[in-house]
Amino acid sequence: AEGKPVLVCLNKIDMLRPNDKAEVIQEATKRFWGSQVIETAFDPDPRLSQDGPVGAQDVFDWVVNQLEAQGKETAHLKAEQK
């Protein structure tokens, strides 16, 4: 209502059954229309994924893009990523 950007993180996405995942994402996209939806697992179950956090970089990139769109300085954030 106030025109602020909204990010929806579907955390624990790694815990869903593969058949349920697409349905959950579709429903979240419908329910949170106008918001960015990112699949995440910030602390994934090691039995299901050995690759570490899911979607963390996407969340970081979204935040940086929003800050830059508002004219904020982000070089220090990007430097910490290296």
Side-chain angles (χ1 to χ4, degrees):
E2 296 183 23
K4 303 222 185 241
V6 175
L7 175 64
V8 176
C9 294
L10 297 178
N11 200 25
K12 295 295 182 188
I13 201 73
D14 60 322
M15 301 300 284
L16 295 175
R17 293 184 184 123
N19 297 343
D20 297 337
K21 184 177 173 180
E23 184 179 338
V24 168
I25 294 166
Q26 182 180 18
E27 184 61 32
T29 302
K30 277 194 315 191
R31 186 172 293 183
F32 298 108
W33 182 82
S35 301
Q36 175 74 36
V37 176
I38 296 178
E39 303 168 38
T40 61
F42 295 122
D43 185 21
D45 187 328
R47 296 171 294 177
L48 302 174
S49 174
Q50 306 301 317
D51 298 332
V54 174
Q57 186 64 49
D58 295 332
V59 171
F60 176 84
D61 293 342
W62 185 89
V63 170
V64 168
N65 289 336
Q66 295 303 313
L67 291 170
E68 288 174 347
Q70 295 176 23
K72 308 282 184 181
E73 177 58 46
T74 60
H76 63 289
L77 296 173
K78 292 177 183 179
E80 291 178 17
Q81 283 286 292
K82 295 180 180 180

